[in-house]
Amino acid sequence: MDWEALGLSLRLAGWVVALLAPIGLLLAWLLVFGRFRGRVLLDALVSLPLVLPPTVLGFYLLVALGPRSPVGRAWEALTGRGLAFSFSGLVVASVLLNIPFFVQPLASSLGAVDRRLLEAAATLGAGRAGTYLRVALPLSWRGLVAGAILSFTHTLGEFGVVLMVGGNLPGQTRTASIALFDQVQAFDLAGAHRTALVLLAAAFAVLLATAFLKQRERPWS
């Protein structure tokens, strides 16, 4: 088992969830409660990583984060390092990849909140932000937790985008899924079994957790 690769995957997943939290909260609010032109387009953009082949998404992210792109040049000017084929680049790519895994469960829970409760909060003087943060979001905590779990676990097992954007640099961008690929390529089947078992256990655990949350969720009526 490549513990260094597993540790890097866990660190990557932790950063992804931390950065996704404010982004996901804003996007879920816009999709559920927003009333503006282009909401359908925003919904489609949020869901795009679910249907787009990972290699296609990884290629465009590599172009967008590369040294010739405005983002890549700005990052290199600020930090002195390139964004592509770095841990920071992996974080940016993984955040964009996992947006739907975080947003969709949260948006589903927010959509089930009784609108009468939100209207009551509004009549008591709570603004839109206050109603969302103090009423709607606490009632949708299971969706928030499910989104965090899904995005964390999906990051652990992601291969295509990670390989395209980060490459295979030990200690920097070599995640557990990349280590598994290397072990199979080297015919290290015993090591591959151990790595695959860890990723399988993580995937099974997240399915159990999300199923439990879904079973316990009781929408207001």
Side-chain angles (χ1 to χ4, degrees), residues 91-108:
V91 171
V92 173
S94 298
V95 165
L96 295 175
L97 174 67
N98 284 282
I99 284 176
F101 294 94
F102 191 99
V103 171
Q104 289 192 352
L106 177 57
S108 178

Side-chain angles (χ1 to χ4, degrees), residues 89-179:
L90 278 188
V91 171
V92 173
S94 298
V95 165
L96 295 175
L97 174 67
N98 284 282
I99 284 176
F101 294 94
F102 191 99
V103 171
Q104 289 192 352
L106 177 57
S108 178
S109 290
L110 287 171
V113 173
D114 192 340
R115 290 299 193 274
R116 290 173 295 182
L117 296 174
L118 305 181
E119 293 169 359
T123 58
L124 293 174
R128 297 185 67 184
T131 301
Y132 177 50
L133 295 175
R134 298 178 183 177
V135 180
L137 194 57
L139 293 174
S140 307
W141 70 268
R142 289 187 178 87
L144 177 61
V145 173
I149 294 174
L150 282 172
S151 55
F152 185 92
T153 310
H154 184 256
T155 302
L156 288 181
E158 175 54 33
F159 177 79
V161 170
V162 169
L163 184 62
M164 293 287 288
V165 176
N168 186 1
L169 303 176
Q172 299 182 48
T173 62
R174 189 171 188 246
T175 62
S177 57
I178 302 298

Side-chain angles (χ1 to χ4, degrees), residues 12-88:
L12 174 63
W15 273 106
V16 167
V17 173
L19 294 175
L20 266 178
I23 298 172
L25 291 177
L26 175 61
L27 289 175
W29 178 74
L30 290 173
L31 291 175
V32 176
F33 302 114
R35 296 293 181 268
F36 58 92
R37 291 184 179 181
R39 190 164 65 94
V40 174
L41 177 60
L42 178 62
D43 192 7
L45 289 174
V46 167
S47 303
L48 186 61
L50 293 175
V51 297
L52 197 64
T55 50
V56 174
L57 180 60
F59 169 73
Y60 283 114
L61 286 173
L62 181 60
V63 172
L65 303 178
R68 296 183 179 180
S69 69
V71 174
R73 289 196 300 269
W75 180 266
E76 189 167 359
L78 289 172
T79 65
R81 300 178 181 179
L83 193 54
F85 303 108
S86 69
F87 182 78
S88 299

